[in-house]
Amino acid sequence: MAEEVITFHWADYLVLGVFLVFSALLGAVIGFRDRKKATSKEFLMGGGDMHWIPVALSMQASFLSAIFILSTPVEIYNYGTIYSYLGISYFTAIPIAGYMYLPTFYRLRLISAYEYLEIRFNRTVRLAGAITFCIMVLLYMSVVLYTPAIALAQVTGLPVSFSIVLCGVVCTIYTVLGGMKATIWNDFIQMIVILVGLLVIICLGAEEQNGMNSVWKENEEGGRIIFDEFSPDPTIRTTFWTQTIGGTFVSLTMYASSQTIIQKFLSVKTLKKAQLSIWLATVTSVLFLILVVIVGLIMYAHFADCDPLLTGKVEKTDQMVPLLVMEVMGHLHGLPGLFIATAFSAALSSVSGSVNALAAVTLIDFIRPIYFHYKKHHISEKSSAILSRVLALIFGLITTLMGFVAQFLGDLVLQIALSIFGFVGGPLTALLSLGLFFPFVNSWGALAGLISSLGICSWIAIGAIIAKYPHPILDRSVEGCPVDVVGNESTVTSYFFNSTAMMESTIMPIAGDDGTDVLWIYKVSHMYYGLIAMVIAVVVGIVVSLITGVAKDTDPKLLFSWGDNCCCYCPRSVRDCLKCGAGEPRDEEDESLDGSVEKKEMDANGLDNNGFGEFVTEKRGIEDGHHYEEVDTGQTFRPTNVYDIDVVTGSNNNKTDASDNVAEKRSSRKSSLSSDEYDKTHF
């Protein structure tokens, strides 16, 4: 007699429905509460006063997608625990992003990270960076939406297309209504849901296997406990080196150059608290990695003698975790709904942050400069706020449509997702690195580095996906399956004895079965794409800059200071040498995009008269004028007209010296405040 197929109970639909409705309503409530503060800064950056704890979880949620929840356990099932070394890369990459990349963006107080590229180089480089980011996010979001859709289809029988639309619509609603605040608070709640969902399946799954000791023993016998793969061969799919070195550059792409993360980082009140959020995001990233690895171990223990892919229970590997959930706790009505809500939480948190980031980049990097070019004045704040929501709506719909494209990607979901960060995000990270760490690199070098890196890495990644080199997976068995489940015995035997050299039927190589006809570069692990992108961009950027004439007197405010941050106890001569051509700090009044110097006036929302939502100083205190304090945010200049910037060196030929220097401003401010008050306001 065939096995009974367990599907969703009405209680599961109720749990999932309540979760989705709550997510949408939270956005509506936040939007209604903040309707009187309807500015682009409020919508895109949460007003700049978010607490660091929810921001930390929101940053981590941006890339804790359903791909991570549903595909990582399959990675453990197929390739063993060697994947878990990725946790080491979190402790290297995320703090590097928080202390070497993000502080510069924070001090400049830029809504879009790619505004930095115009200040450092020129507008062409800025547009190239913004376009690259948009391509990366749209490609990644298509995979993110598709993954929970196939999970829901597995347990409910609902069409995948319905699930994609459901997830996309709910996410778009609360993002459009509530903006960044709704995104961050929904992410915070969704992370709690994910944590609970993972703990429930781990506890019940371990109980079914008579404890974690039995789970571990089963995985040892099945060859899944692997921690000793130290081969330097870059064509091996997963080793200690791919996860630690390659993983560092993949994680750096996520946290150092993505507008999604930078925007959330800038929404925190102070730099120190923003960096605290980075440390918390690091710890939670490792925690969730450990949890999904344990789910993978439990999944192998459960299916060790009856692989569901070989028996036809599932068609895709990403349906294995939902199948595990239904078989382990399908009889506990409501809990399967909780786990599918977990998958949807992971997808919603990733999509909402990306939709918000796409809206910000499009408004700041494309619409505002074009509007100013033709109208000769800045777009109003009211129009910016409306456009922010319209853009979020448009990108939400585009992302939903992109989700249908992912249906044709086969079973390479996790590999493709990480490849996108490598071959698209890697060049973008390299571009920002050229600006921050190499003062002598000019705009020609930066642009050449980006284009060459993007072109070569895209060729490698796309070629690898098409060639489908068959990285060997570990043995899988159907020996313990009932006869009525496995069907033809000879077919099962054939599957079993060839499983070590087999990939899923949807991803068999188009070259030779052994992959001998595949070009060597296509065999390189996808985890190295970010590293390859960085090396190519830096080498090309430096060489082209040396050929075309290096940039001189680059403003130190735009750079990471190796001497001051890494060698602060070294002699002055050593620190000066490490400047590598950087100029002396400049103290300038704020400049408009047409190059004229202007003194900004602040409105009640802390926005400047250009409507950019960025400011040099902010007045706080008693409104009657008897006493106020000016808080220095660190931004003392803006990009000038692109025609006033040398296209080779990136130097600005139209800047006006400030009448007062920073020291005089701080001295004046300190004299009007007590020492305690001054210490609290200055950071």
Side-chain angles (χ1 to χ4, degrees), residues 25-57:
L25 286 179
L26 181 60
V29 169
I30 292 176
F32 179 79
R33 187 193 64 183
D34 296 338
R35 66 190 184 281
K36 294 183 180 179
K37 298 186 289 184
T39 64
S40 59
K41 182 172 184 285
E42 183 72 26
F43 182 83
L44 297 174
M45 301 184 70
D49 60 352
M50 296 297 296
H51 195 279
W52 65 274
I53 292 179
V55 169
L57 294 180

PDB file of all heavy atoms in Angstrom, residues 25-57:
ATOM      1  N   LEU A  25      -0.134  44.423   7.636  1.00  0.00           N
ATOM      2  CA  LEU A  25      -0.747  45.417   8.533  1.00  0.00           C
ATOM      3  C   LEU A  25       0.296  46.236   9.275  1.00  0.00           C
ATOM      4  O   LEU A  25       0.084  47.428   9.529  1.00  0.00           O
ATOM      5  CB  LEU A  25      -1.662  44.712   9.540  1.00  0.00           C
ATOM      6  CG  LEU A  25      -2.988  44.193   8.992  1.00  0.00           C
ATOM      7  CD1 LEU A  25      -3.784  43.487  10.092  1.00  0.00           C
ATOM      8  CD2 LEU A  25      -3.819  45.330   8.398  1.00  0.00           C
ATOM      9  N   LEU A  26       1.420  45.621   9.624  1.00  0.00           N
ATOM     10  CA  LEU A  26       2.465  46.364  10.315  1.00  0.00           C
ATOM     11  C   LEU A  26       2.974  47.510   9.445  1.00  0.00           C
ATOM     12  O   LEU A  26       3.197  48.624   9.933  1.00  0.00           O
ATOM     13  CB  LEU A  26       3.622  45.433  10.681  1.00  0.00           C
ATOM     14  CG  LEU A  26       4.789  46.089  11.438  1.00  0.00           C
ATOM     15  CD1 LEU A  26       4.305  46.693  12.752  1.00  0.00           C
ATOM     16  CD2 LEU A  26       5.898  45.068  11.697  1.00  0.00           C
ATOM     17  N   GLY A  27       3.137  47.243   8.150  1.00  0.00           N
ATOM     18  CA  GLY A  27       3.544  48.307   7.245  1.00  0.00           C
ATOM     19  C   GLY A  27       2.517  49.413   7.174  1.00  0.00           C
ATOM     20  O   GLY A  27       2.853  50.608   7.148  1.00  0.00           O
ATOM     21  N   ALA A  28       1.231  49.031   7.149  1.00  0.00           N
ATOM     22  CA  ALA A  28       0.166  50.030   7.091  1.00  0.00           C
ATOM     23  C   ALA A  28       0.130  50.877   8.359  1.00  0.00           C
ATOM     24  O   ALA A  28      -0.051  52.101   8.301  1.00  0.00           O
ATOM     25  CB  ALA A  28      -1.178  49.330   6.885  1.00  0.00           C
ATOM     26  N   VAL A  29       0.309  50.239   9.517  1.00  0.00           N
ATOM     27  CA  VAL A  29       0.288  50.968  10.789  1.00  0.00           C
ATOM     28  C   VAL A  29       1.443  51.960  10.879  1.00  0.00           C
ATOM     29  O   VAL A  29       1.263  53.114  11.265  1.00  0.00           O
ATOM     30  CB  VAL A  29       0.338  49.975  11.974  1.00  0.00           C
ATOM     31  CG1 VAL A  29       0.577  50.714  13.288  1.00  0.00           C
ATOM     32  CG2 VAL A  29      -0.946  49.175  12.052  1.00  0.00           C
ATOM     33  N   ILE A  30       2.642  51.515  10.510  1.00  0.00           N
ATOM     34  CA  ILE A  30       3.806  52.409  10.556  1.00  0.00           C
ATOM     35  C   ILE A  30       3.645  53.555   9.576  1.00  0.00           C
ATOM     36  O   ILE A  30       3.957  54.712   9.875  1.00  0.00           O
ATOM     37  CB  ILE A  30       5.095  51.614  10.266  1.00  0.00           C
ATOM     38  CG1 ILE A  30       5.392  50.653  11.416  1.00  0.00           C
ATOM     39  CG2 ILE A  30       6.285  52.559  10.052  1.00  0.00           C
ATOM     40  CD1 ILE A  30       6.588  49.756  11.184  1.00  0.00           C
ATOM     41  N   GLY A  31       3.130  53.249   8.379  1.00  0.00           N
ATOM     42  CA  GLY A  31       2.903  54.294   7.397  1.00  0.00           C
ATOM     43  C   GLY A  31       1.893  55.314   7.869  1.00  0.00           C
ATOM     44  O   GLY A  31       2.067  56.528   7.673  1.00  0.00           O
ATOM     45  N   PHE A  32       0.821  54.860   8.525  1.00  0.00           N
ATOM     46  CA  PHE A  32      -0.201  55.787   9.030  1.00  0.00           C
ATOM     47  C   PHE A  32       0.342  56.621  10.179  1.00  0.00           C
ATOM     48  O   PHE A  32       0.096  57.831  10.254  1.00  0.00           O
ATOM     49  CB  PHE A  32      -1.423  54.985   9.497  1.00  0.00           C
ATOM     50  CG  PHE A  32      -2.526  55.852  10.059  1.00  0.00           C
ATOM     51  CD1 PHE A  32      -3.385  56.535   9.220  1.00  0.00           C
ATOM     52  CD2 PHE A  32      -2.688  55.979  11.444  1.00  0.00           C
ATOM     53  CE1 PHE A  32      -4.398  57.341   9.744  1.00  0.00           C
ATOM     54  CE2 PHE A  32      -3.687  56.776  11.967  1.00  0.00           C
ATOM     55  CZ  PHE A  32      -4.552  57.460  11.111  1.00  0.00           C
ATOM     56  N   ARG A  33       1.108  56.000  11.061  1.00  0.00           N
ATOM     57  CA  ARG A  33       1.663  56.723  12.211  1.00  0.00           C
ATOM     58  C   ARG A  33       2.622  57.824  11.780  1.00  0.00           C
ATOM     59  O   ARG A  33       2.663  58.907  12.384  1.00  0.00           O
ATOM     60  CB  ARG A  33       2.385  55.735  13.133  1.00  0.00           C
ATOM     61  CG  ARG A  33       2.873  56.334  14.445  1.00  0.00           C
ATOM     62  CD  ARG A  33       3.839  55.400  15.143  1.00  0.00           C
ATOM     63  NE  ARG A  33       5.057  55.211  14.344  1.00  0.00           N
ATOM     64  CZ  ARG A  33       6.045  54.394  14.698  1.00  0.00           C
ATOM     65  NH1 ARG A  33       5.954  53.665  15.796  1.00  0.00           N
ATOM     66  NH2 ARG A  33       7.120  54.284  13.927  1.00  0.00           N
ATOM     67  N   ASP A  34       3.417  57.548  10.730  1.00  0.00           N
ATOM     68  CA  ASP A  34       4.427  58.510  10.282  1.00  0.00           C
ATOM     69  C   ASP A  34       3.978  59.319   9.074  1.00  0.00           C
ATOM     70  O   ASP A  34       4.802  59.884   8.359  1.00  0.00           O
ATOM     71  CB  ASP A  34       5.726  57.766   9.938  1.00  0.00           C
ATOM     72  CG  ASP A  34       6.350  57.100  11.149  1.00  0.00           C
ATOM     73  OD1 ASP A  34       6.053  57.532  12.280  1.00  0.00           O
ATOM     74  OD2 ASP A  34       7.129  56.141  10.961  1.00  0.00           O
ATOM     75  N   ARG A  35       2.653  59.380   8.845  1.00  0.00           N
ATOM     76  CA  ARG A  35       2.171  60.063   7.644  1.00  0.00           C
ATOM     77  C   ARG A  35       2.527  61.543   7.628  1.00  0.00           C
ATOM     78  O   ARG A  35       2.673  62.149   6.565  1.00  0.00           O
ATOM     79  CB  ARG A  35       0.653  59.887   7.518  1.00  0.00           C
ATOM     80  CG  ARG A  35      -0.156  60.566   8.626  1.00  0.00           C
ATOM     81  CD  ARG A  35      -1.614  60.141   8.575  1.00  0.00           C
ATOM     82  NE  ARG A  35      -2.424  60.841   9.558  1.00  0.00           N
ATOM     83  CZ  ARG A  35      -2.475  60.537  10.839  1.00  0.00           C
ATOM     84  NH1 ARG A  35      -1.724  59.522  11.289  1.00  0.00           N
ATOM     85  NH2 ARG A  35      -3.233  61.218  11.673  1.00  0.00           N
ATOM     86  N   LYS A  36       2.675  62.174   8.810  1.00  0.00           N
ATOM     87  CA  LYS A  36       3.014  63.595   8.868  1.00  0.00           C
ATOM     88  C   LYS A  36       4.505  63.831   8.644  1.00  0.00           C
ATOM     89  O   LYS A  36       4.932  64.966   8.497  1.00  0.00           O
ATOM     90  CB  LYS A  36       2.590  64.180  10.219  1.00  0.00           C
ATOM     91  CG  LYS A  36       1.079  64.200  10.421  1.00  0.00           C
ATOM     92  CD  LYS A  36       0.708  64.850  11.749  1.00  0.00           C
ATOM     93  CE  LYS A  36      -0.802  64.876  11.941  1.00  0.00           C
ATOM     94  NZ  LYS A  36      -1.183  65.497  13.238  1.00  0.00           N
ATOM     95  N   LYS A  37       5.287  62.759   8.655  1.00  0.00           N
ATOM     96  CA  LYS A  37       6.722  62.872   8.390  1.00  0.00           C
ATOM     97  C   LYS A  37       7.050  62.208   7.055  1.00  0.00           C
ATOM     98  O   LYS A  37       8.047  61.505   6.921  1.00  0.00           O
ATOM     99  CB  LYS A  37       7.524  62.207   9.514  1.00  0.00           C
ATOM    100  CG  LYS A  37       7.315  62.852  10.878  1.00  0.00           C
ATOM    101  CD  LYS A  37       8.234  62.249  11.914  1.00  0.00           C
ATOM    102  CE  LYS A  37       7.842  60.841  12.268  1.00  0.00           C
ATOM    103  NZ  LYS A  37       8.681  60.264  13.347  1.00  0.00           N
ATOM    104  N   ALA A  38       6.183  62.434   6.074  1.00  0.00           N
ATOM    105  CA  ALA A  38       6.296  61.769   4.781  1.00  0.00           C
ATOM    106  C   ALA A  38       7.389  62.406   3.935  1.00  0.00           C
ATOM    107  O   ALA A  38       7.133  63.191   3.026  1.00  0.00           O
ATOM    108  CB  ALA A  38       4.963  61.812   4.044  1.00  0.00           C
ATOM    109  N   THR A  39       8.627  62.103   4.249  1.00  0.00           N
ATOM    110  CA  THR A  39       9.766  62.605   3.482  1.00  0.00           C
ATOM    111  C   THR A  39      10.529  61.421   2.912  1.00  0.00           C
ATOM    112  O   THR A  39      10.375  60.284   3.370  1.00  0.00           O
ATOM    113  CB  THR A  39      10.715  63.431   4.373  1.00  0.00           C
ATOM    114  OG1 THR A  39      11.274  62.564   5.365  1.00  0.00           O
ATOM    115  CG2 THR A  39       9.966  64.571   5.047  1.00  0.00           C
ATOM    116  N   SER A  40      11.363  61.689   1.909  1.00  0.00           N
ATOM    117  CA  SER A  40      12.159  60.610   1.322  1.00  0.00           C
ATOM    118  C   SER A  40      13.144  60.055   2.335  1.00  0.00           C
ATOM    119  O   SER A  40      13.431  58.857   2.359  1.00  0.00           O
ATOM    120  CB  SER A  40      12.900  61.117   0.078  1.00  0.00           C
ATOM    121  OG  SER A  40      13.755  62.190   0.414  1.00  0.00           O
ATOM    122  N   LYS A  41      13.692  60.916   3.196  1.00  0.00           N
ATOM    123  CA  LYS A  41      14.633  60.465   4.233  1.00  0.00           C
ATOM    124  C   LYS A  41      13.928  59.537   5.215  1.00  0.00           C
ATOM    125  O   LYS A  41      14.483  58.518   5.638  1.00  0.00           O
ATOM    126  CB  LYS A  41      15.223  61.662   4.963  1.00  0.00           C
ATOM    127  CG  LYS A  41      16.252  61.317   6.040  1.00  0.00           C
ATOM    128  CD  LYS A  41      16.911  62.582   6.558  1.00  0.00           C
ATOM    129  CE  LYS A  41      18.004  62.259   7.573  1.00  0.00           C
ATOM    130  NZ  LYS A  41      17.472  61.871   8.875  1.00  0.00           N
ATOM    131  N   GLU A  42      12.696  59.874   5.577  1.00  0.00           N
ATOM    132  CA  GLU A  42      11.923  59.036   6.491  1.00  0.00           C
ATOM    133  C   GLU A  42      11.609  57.694   5.840  1.00  0.00           C
ATOM    134  O   GLU A  42      11.722  56.633   6.464  1.00  0.00           O
ATOM    135  CB  GLU A  42      10.624  59.750   6.880  1.00  0.00           C
ATOM    136  CG  GLU A  42       9.773  59.000   7.886  1.00  0.00           C
ATOM    137  CD  GLU A  42      10.379  59.008   9.279  1.00  0.00           C
ATOM    138  OE1 GLU A  42      11.134  59.943   9.600  1.00  0.00           O
ATOM    139  OE2 GLU A  42      10.103  58.071  10.046  1.00  0.00           O
ATOM    140  N   PHE A  43      11.217  57.723   4.571  1.00  0.00           N
ATOM    141  CA  PHE A  43      10.822  56.498   3.878  1.00  0.00           C
ATOM    142  C   PHE A  43      12.014  55.592   3.598  1.00  0.00           C
ATOM    143  O   PHE A  43      11.947  54.377   3.799  1.00  0.00           O
ATOM    144  CB  PHE A  43      10.132  56.857   2.556  1.00  0.00           C
ATOM    145  CG  PHE A  43       9.637  55.657   1.792  1.00  0.00           C
ATOM    146  CD1 PHE A  43       8.423  55.072   2.100  1.00  0.00           C
ATOM    147  CD2 PHE A  43      10.392  55.113   0.762  1.00  0.00           C
ATOM    148  CE1 PHE A  43       7.966  53.958   1.398  1.00  0.00           C
ATOM    149  CE2 PHE A  43       9.950  53.997   0.057  1.00  0.00           C
ATOM    150  CZ  PHE A  43       8.729  53.426   0.378  1.00  0.00           C
ATOM    151  N   LEU A  44      13.118  56.183   3.154  1.00  0.00           N
ATOM    152  CA  LEU A  44      14.258  55.386   2.703  1.00  0.00           C
ATOM    153  C   LEU A  44      15.226  55.029   3.815  1.00  0.00           C
ATOM    154  O   LEU A  44      15.946  54.039   3.712  1.00  0.00           O
ATOM    155  CB  LEU A  44      15.013  56.134   1.596  1.00  0.00           C
ATOM    156  CG  LEU A  44      14.223  56.395   0.309  1.00  0.00           C
ATOM    157  CD1 LEU A  44      15.037  57.274  -0.628  1.00  0.00           C
ATOM    158  CD2 LEU A  44      13.852  55.092  -0.377  1.00  0.00           C
ATOM    159  N   MET A  45      15.272  55.834   4.902  1.00  0.00           N
ATOM    160  CA  MET A  45      16.261  55.606   5.953  1.00  0.00           C
ATOM    161  C   MET A  45      15.652  55.545   7.353  1.00  0.00           C
ATOM    162  O   MET A  45      16.363  55.594   8.347  1.00  0.00           O
ATOM    163  CB  MET A  45      17.343  56.686   5.907  1.00  0.00           C
ATOM    164  CG  MET A  45      18.077  56.736   4.578  1.00  0.00           C
ATOM    165  SD  MET A  45      19.410  57.922   4.563  1.00  0.00           S
ATOM    166  CE  MET A  45      20.572  57.136   5.661  1.00  0.00           C
ATOM    167  N   GLY A  46      14.337  55.455   7.428  1.00  0.00           N
ATOM    168  CA  GLY A  46      13.686  55.339   8.724  1.00  0.00           C
ATOM    169  C   GLY A  46      13.900  56.541   9.617  1.00  0.00           C
ATOM    170  O   GLY A  46      13.815  56.444  10.848  1.00  0.00           O
ATOM    171  N   GLY A  47      14.191  57.709   9.009  1.00  0.00           N
ATOM    172  CA  GLY A  47      14.411  58.920   9.790  1.00  0.00           C
ATOM    173  C   GLY A  47      15.806  59.030  10.361  1.00  0.00           C
ATOM    174  O   GLY A  47      16.163  60.024  10.975  1.00  0.00           O
ATOM    175  N   GLY A  48      16.632  57.989  10.200  1.00  0.00           N
ATOM    176  CA  GLY A  48      18.000  58.032  10.709  1.00  0.00           C
ATOM    177  C   GLY A  48      18.133  57.873  12.210  1.00  0.00           C
ATOM    178  O   GLY A  48      19.183  58.183  12.777  1.00  0.00           O
ATOM    179  N   ASP A  49      17.089  57.366  12.873  1.00  0.00           N
ATOM    180  CA  ASP A  49      17.144  57.251  14.334  1.00  0.00           C
ATOM    181  C   ASP A  49      16.687  55.875  14.819  1.00  0.00           C
ATOM    182  O   ASP A  49      16.141  55.742  15.907  1.00  0.00           O
ATOM    183  CB  ASP A  49      16.300  58.349  14.980  1.00  0.00           C
ATOM    184  CG  ASP A  49      14.830  58.272  14.572  1.00  0.00           C
ATOM    185  OD1 ASP A  49      14.500  57.465  13.676  1.00  0.00           O
ATOM    186  OD2 ASP A  49      14.014  59.033  15.140  1.00  0.00           O
ATOM    187  N   MET A  50      16.931  54.834  14.015  1.00  0.00           N
ATOM    188  CA  MET A  50      16.514  53.497  14.396  1.00  0.00           C
ATOM    189  C   MET A  50      17.447  52.926  15.474  1.00  0.00           C
ATOM    190  O   MET A  50      18.636  53.255  15.524  1.00  0.00           O
ATOM    191  CB  MET A  50      16.524  52.576  13.170  1.00  0.00           C
ATOM    192  CG  MET A  50      15.531  52.960  12.088  1.00  0.00           C
ATOM    193  SD  MET A  50      13.815  52.864  12.636  1.00  0.00           S
ATOM    194  CE  MET A  50      13.652  51.115  12.980  1.00  0.00           C
ATOM    195  N   HIS A  51      16.888  52.042  16.322  1.00  0.00           N
ATOM    196  CA  HIS A  51      17.693  51.391  17.350  1.00  0.00           C
ATOM    197  C   HIS A  51      18.581  50.332  16.705  1.00  0.00           C
ATOM    198  O   HIS A  51      18.195  49.653  15.750  1.00  0.00           O
ATOM    199  CB  HIS A  51      16.784  50.744  18.391  1.00  0.00           C
ATOM    200  CG  HIS A  51      17.492  50.357  19.655  1.00  0.00           C
ATOM    201  ND1 HIS A  51      18.221  49.194  19.770  1.00  0.00           N
ATOM    202  CD2 HIS A  51      17.606  50.987  20.857  1.00  0.00           C
ATOM    203  CE1 HIS A  51      18.743  49.108  20.985  1.00  0.00           C
ATOM    204  NE2 HIS A  51      18.386  50.184  21.664  1.00  0.00           N
ATOM    205  N   TRP A  52      19.784  50.160  17.253  1.00  0.00           N
ATOM    206  CA  TRP A  52      20.774  49.304  16.610  1.00  0.00           C
ATOM    207  C   TRP A  52      20.447  47.815  16.664  1.00  0.00           C
ATOM    208  O   TRP A  52      20.871  47.049  15.791  1.00  0.00           O
ATOM    209  CB  TRP A  52      22.160  49.552  17.194  1.00  0.00           C
ATOM    210  CG  TRP A  52      22.322  49.182  18.644  1.00  0.00           C
ATOM    211  CD1 TRP A  52      22.041  49.961  19.716  1.00  0.00           C
ATOM    212  CD2 TRP A  52      22.799  47.938  19.174  1.00  0.00           C
ATOM    213  NE1 TRP A  52      22.315  49.292  20.886  1.00  0.00           N
ATOM    214  CE2 TRP A  52      22.793  48.050  20.579  1.00  0.00           C
ATOM    215  CE3 TRP A  52      23.253  46.757  18.588  1.00  0.00           C
ATOM    216  CZ2 TRP A  52      23.199  47.014  21.415  1.00  0.00           C
ATOM    217  CZ3 TRP A  52      23.661  45.709  19.416  1.00  0.00           C
ATOM    218  CH2 TRP A  52      23.636  45.846  20.813  1.00  0.00           C
ATOM    219  N   ILE A  53      19.657  47.364  17.652  1.00  0.00           N
ATOM    220  CA  ILE A  53      19.365  45.929  17.753  1.00  0.00           C
ATOM    221  C   ILE A  53      18.452  45.451  16.626  1.00  0.00           C
ATOM    222  O   ILE A  53      18.784  44.486  15.918  1.00  0.00           O
ATOM    223  CB  ILE A  53      18.783  45.591  19.142  1.00  0.00           C
ATOM    224  CG1 ILE A  53      19.857  45.782  20.215  1.00  0.00           C
ATOM    225  CG2 ILE A  53      18.251  44.153  19.158  1.00  0.00           C
ATOM    226  CD1 ILE A  53      19.383  45.487  21.628  1.00  0.00           C
ATOM    227  N   PRO A  54      17.284  46.079  16.407  1.00  0.00           N
ATOM    228  CA  PRO A  54      16.482  45.635  15.259  1.00  0.00           C
ATOM    229  C   PRO A  54      17.188  45.841  13.928  1.00  0.00           C
ATOM    230  O   PRO A  54      17.002  45.047  12.994  1.00  0.00           O
ATOM    231  CB  PRO A  54      15.201  46.486  15.359  1.00  0.00           C
ATOM    232  CG  PRO A  54      15.539  47.619  16.244  1.00  0.00           C
ATOM    233  CD  PRO A  54      16.579  47.113  17.182  1.00  0.00           C
ATOM    234  N   VAL A  55      18.009  46.877  13.824  1.00  0.00           N
ATOM    235  CA  VAL A  55      18.764  47.099  12.586  1.00  0.00           C
ATOM    236  C   VAL A  55      19.747  45.957  12.356  1.00  0.00           C
ATOM    237  O   VAL A  55      19.933  45.491  11.221  1.00  0.00           O
ATOM    238  CB  VAL A  55      19.497  48.455  12.623  1.00  0.00           C
ATOM    239  CG1 VAL A  55      20.493  48.567  11.474  1.00  0.00           C
ATOM    240  CG2 VAL A  55      18.501  49.610  12.562  1.00  0.00           C
ATOM    241  N   ALA A  56      20.386  45.474  13.423  1.00  0.00           N
ATOM    242  CA  ALA A  56      21.330  44.355  13.295  1.00  0.00           C
ATOM    243  C   ALA A  56      20.634  43.114  12.744  1.00  0.00           C
ATOM    244  O   ALA A  56      21.130  42.461  11.814  1.00  0.00           O
ATOM    245  CB  ALA A  56      21.955  44.047  14.655  1.00  0.00           C
ATOM    246  N   LEU A  57      19.480  42.787  13.305  1.00  0.00           N
ATOM    247  CA  LEU A  57      18.742  41.623  12.827  1.00  0.00           C
ATOM    248  C   LEU A  57      18.221  41.847  11.416  1.00  0.00           C
ATOM    249  O   LEU A  57      18.142  40.912  10.612  1.00  0.00           O
ATOM    250  CB  LEU A  57      17.591  41.305  13.783  1.00  0.00           C
ATOM    251  CG  LEU A  57      18.008  40.837  15.178  1.00  0.00           C
ATOM    252  CD1 LEU A  57      16.788  40.556  16.038  1.00  0.00           C
ATOM    253  CD2 LEU A  57      18.883  39.597  15.097  1.00  0.00           C
TER     254      LEU A  57
END
